[in-house]
Amino acid sequence: MRTYSVLLLCIPLLCVPILGATVPPDKLVTVRVGIYENPPKIFTDDKGEASGFWPDIIEYIALEEGWKTEYVHGSWTECLQRLENNEIDVMPDVAYTEERNRTYEFPNESVYTSWSTVYAREGSNIQSILDLEGKDIAVLKGSVNVEGPNGIKELVRAFNIDCTLNEVDSYARVLEMVRSGDADAGVTSKDYGYQHTTDSILVDTAIIFQPSLLYFAFSKDSSLTPHLVDRTDYHVKRMKESADSIYYQSLRRWFTPELVAQPFIPRWVILTLLGIVGLVFLLVAGGFILRSQVTSRTKELTQEMARRKEAEEELGESHEHLEGLVKQRTTELEQANQHKSEFLANMSHELRTPLNSIIGYTRLMLDGLEGNITSEQQEDLQTVYDNSKHLLSLINDLLDLSKIEAGKFEIVKEEYAVSDLISQIIPSMEKLARDKGLELTCTVSPGVDRVYADKNKTKQILFNLLGNAVKFTEKGSVRLDIGERDGEFIFSVVDTGTGIAEQDIGRLFESYKQVGPARLDGSEGTGLGLVISKQFVELQGGRIWAESTAGKGSTFSFTLPAK
């Protein structure tokens, strides 16, 4: 018997639908619907008829609108190709991605929420993403849990996992390959896996990823599409607003009924969050302890070298022994630091996946998209959401720093317009500055219209510097200056904040350190932002420094070499 529940999240639209294209009432509309085998969501029953949650919804809409439905059977990839070629009008159970949005037409109203799980045979000991190294994994060809921005391909690439992905035409084939031993593990949607892994051969692992909103998708080339999208949005919105509609009846029929109930904060959310807090505390504490041990060992080596040097005339033969001891101790320190970096990188990523889910689902409950909640629940959920966001920021910093220290961080330089960089940074910082009554400006020197650098890393550096400037400036302004001199691009963030004491400037770029105003006003932070910024700058061949006068403001500058 399963010990976990399936979460059903349905997101109602926040505005009244606007009537679009219409079809003459005397003309019978035939709607061609793609169908593939993915029970209980959509499948062909023993009588050869379309069945499942999605057919229930489309048949209800068709009845209300007077449409005639015509189901076209095929595999998942065949159905998507037919939708693109206008051989069918609508395809159910399609997760939204930017790439698919360019190929298909998506409505405003989502219909269902799902995520993906890795299944393996009992006793396989596959429990984390690292356990997929060297394994054969069966996946559904063309599905979002394979090709999506957070799909299995992206997941194993991010962790440098060397495994083989065997793409097949159905989830049934995925599980069949795992049962027979033709694959070590398989990826399915949570609903299909829940319904079809009740035997003692297959078990679900702790690898859960790719939360997705599911929609009806429509052909971009069909003249019916504006009408179909408009009426589908209208009916889905009305169904989700009524607790006794066919929508909720179908959910109860095909999925776990207890979960179509009043919203609450699941116990697993609270326990998981508490566990994450404890693990992050252990990570940070372990980092401090390890650094203390490194410092202690380094001090011991220095003292040992001093003693050996004093006795060099009398014990010349000990010189070779001393070199061997220093080499051994240095190797031990390098191995310890490497193990620490690998541990932080692995744990940070394992923590980030469930934490992203907590943030997403908590946001849905805060927005009231699962039903009304009390003011006390609103306050509790907001606390969960804020603390989760803070933890995610800490985990991302730890992951970046660990990748840098492990030598696994890649720099990808490209040429792009300065205006693109500014348009992605300044608007994001304006609200923070405006809330504090600060003026935020940006100046670009004449002739500086394009830069050559790693765009994402440069954005993160500027976000860190501008975020610190706004945080530690109570009145006045924050300014970003971009110029070029002697073959280098120069970026400067100038603020009128409280400034930094001269004796603290030299410690600004040390890990886990906060100086100056960060200690005075009690602002929260890990002390990693400037450290990571320094690493990103130096990895691109640049340099970073700070100038400040206590009580008069600060200027943080960095350079990047021109192409």
Side-chain angles (χ1 to χ4, degrees), residues 107 120 145 265 332 466:
N145 55 35
I265 304 176
E332 292 175 357
L466 286 168

Side-chain angles (χ1 to χ4, degrees), residues 221-336:
D221 298 328
S222 173
S223 60
L224 281 176
T225 292
H227 173 72
L228 297 179
V229 170
D230 174 70
R231 303 315 298 161
T232 301
D233 262 343
Y234 171 78
H235 286 289
V236 170
K237 182 175 185 296
R238 286 179 61 87
M239 282 189 283
K240 290 195 293 187
E241 290 173 348
S242 174
D244 58 353
S245 68
I246 185 65
Y247 179 85
Y248 291 104
Q249 294 175 25
S250 186
L251 285 177
R252 297 185 190 98
R253 176 186 178 190
W254 298 108
F255 304 107
T256 304
E258 298 89 345
L259 296 172
V260 192
Q262 293 300 321
F264 66 100
I265 304 176
R267 180 178 177 83
W268 68 267
V269 172
I270 299 174
L271 294 178
T272 302
L273 187 59
L274 291 175
I276 290 173
V277 172
L279 287 174
V280 171
F281 175 80
L282 290 177
L283 285 173
V284 176
F288 277 115
I289 293 172
L290 187 57
R291 289 177 182 275
S292 175
Q293 292 176 344
V294 170
T295 302
S296 176
R297 288 291 187 89
T298 303
K299 185 177 180 179
E300 291 175 6
L301 287 174
T302 303
Q303 293 173 348
E304 180 75 7
M305 291 175 67
R307 288 194 297 268
R308 294 289 181 175
K309 188 173 182 180
E310 292 175 356
E312 185 175 3
E313 292 183 0
E314 298 178 7
L315 303 172
E317 67 274 12
S318 66
H319 180 70
E320 182 177 353
H321 175 68
L322 177 61
E323 288 185 339
L325 179 61
V326 172
K327 183 177 180 180
Q328 178 184 350
R329 293 288 181 85
T330 302
T331 300
E332 292 175 357
L333 293 176
E334 290 175 348
Q335 290 176 346

Side-chain angles (χ1 to χ4, degrees), residues 429 432-433 436 438 463-478 493-500 508 513-530 548-556:
M429 303 302 301
L432 295 176
K436 297 187 68 174
L438 303 177
F463 274 127
N464 285 339
L465 297 183
L466 286 168
N468 284 343
V470 171
K471 182 190 298 183
F472 301 131
T473 302
E474 296 303 322
K475 62 180 180 179
S477 64
V478 174
V493 175
V494 184
D495 66 61
T496 59
T498 56
I500 303 169
L508 281 170
K513 292 290 181 67
Q514 281 191 316
V515 300
R519 294 184 308 190
L520 294 175
D521 67 4
S523 299
E524 296 180 347
T526 63
L528 295 177
L530 289 178
S548 182
T549 302
K552 296 186 178 180
S554 305
T555 300
F556 283 78

Side-chain angles (χ1 to χ4, degrees), residues 38 124 179 218 451 510:
N38 186 5
S124 68
R179 286 191 178 95
F218 300 87
V451 295
E510 294 179 13

Side-chain angles (χ1 to χ4, degrees), residues 28-266:
L28 179 63
V29 176
T30 299
V31 180
R32 299 166 297 174
V33 183
I35 179 173
Y36 75 113
E37 302 305 313
N38 186 5
K41 292 193 291 184
I42 181 170
F43 63 98
T44 306
D45 64 18
D46 296 337
K47 299 178 180 179
E49 298 178 353
S51 189
F53 171 72
W54 290 89
D56 284 354
I57 302 302
I58 193 65
E59 287 298 329
Y60 172 81
I61 298 174
L63 181 63
E64 290 291 306
E65 293 293 326
W67 299 341
K68 176 184 177 183
T69 55
E70 178 182 303
Y71 288 94
V72 180
H73 296 258
S75 68
W76 170 253
T77 52
E78 288 172 343
C79 288
L80 289 183
Q81 188 62 52
R82 287 168 180 164
L83 187 65
E84 182 178 356
N85 296 338
N86 195 21
E87 296 173 6
I88 59 176
D89 302 299
V90 59
M91 180 64 192
D93 198 29
V94 181
Y96 177 91
T97 66
E98 291 294 336
E99 181 179 356
R100 286 179 176 174
N101 192 42
R102 291 190 289 269
T103 306
Y104 317 117
E105 191 72 29
F106 283 87
N108 292 321
E109 286 290 336
S110 64
V111 180
Y112 191 61
T113 301
S114 186
W115 55 85
S116 303
T117 302
V118 174
Y119 288 88
R121 289 190 304 278
E122 177 72 37
S124 68
N125 292 324
I126 296 177
Q127 284 300 320
S128 75
I129 187 67
L130 299 179
D131 296 329
L132 298 181
E133 179 70 32
K135 299 294 193 296
D136 288 329
I137 306 169
V139 297
L140 176 60
K141 182 178 180 181
S143 64
V144 71
N145 55 35
V146 178
E147 305 292 348
N150 296 307
I152 190 68
K153 285 186 178 180
E154 177 63 22
L155 196 59
V156 298
R157 187 200 66 78
F159 263 90
N160 294 321
I161 302 297
D162 184 12
C163 60
T164 301
L165 300 181
N166 297 315
E167 298 185 353
V168 298
D169 289 335
S170 68
Y171 283 139
R173 179 57 181 157
V174 168
L175 297 183
E176 179 185 334
M177 291 182 67
V178 181
R179 286 191 178 95
S180 65
D182 293 332
D184 299 301
V187 176
T188 76
S189 68
K190 52 101 175 175
D191 296 305
Y192 189 90
Y194 181 82
Q195 296 285 339
H196 295 86
T197 57
T198 56
D199 54 55
S200 59
I201 299 176
L202 298 182
V203 294
D204 56 335
T205 71
I207 309 173
I208 300 173
F209 61 99
Q210 189 69 45
S212 303
L213 295 177
L214 303 180
Y215 296 80
F216 285 111
F218 300 87
S219 172
K220 279 188 176 292
D221 298 328
S222 173
S223 60
L224 281 176
T225 292
H227 173 72
L228 297 179
V229 170
D230 174 70
R231 303 315 298 161
T232 301
D233 262 343
Y234 171 78
H235 286 289
V236 170
K237 182 175 185 296
R238 286 179 61 87
M239 282 189 283
K240 290 195 293 187
E241 290 173 348
S242 174
D244 58 353
S245 68
I246 185 65
Y247 179 85
Y248 291 104
Q249 294 175 25
S250 186
L251 285 177
R252 297 185 190 98
R253 176 186 178 190
W254 298 108
F255 304 107
T256 304
E258 298 89 345
L259 296 172
V260 192
Q262 293 300 321
F264 66 100
I265 304 176

Side-chain angles (χ1 to χ4, degrees), residues 436-487:
K436 297 187 68 174
L438 303 177
E439 180 183 12
L440 178 63
T441 59
C442 177
T443 62
V444 181
S445 299
V448 179
D449 57 350
R450 303 186 71 80
V451 295
Y452 182 70
D454 188 310
K455 189 174 183 179
N456 289 331
K457 307 302 183 296
T458 305
K459 283 167 52 181
Q460 187 168 343
I461 296 167
L462 290 174
F463 274 127
N464 285 339
L465 297 183
L466 286 168
N468 284 343
V470 171
K471 182 190 298 183
F472 301 131
T473 302
E474 296 303 322
K475 62 180 180 179
S477 64
V478 174
R479 186 178 78 251
L480 170 61
D481 295 334
I482 303 177
E484 183 179 9
R485 183 177 62 198
D486 299 331

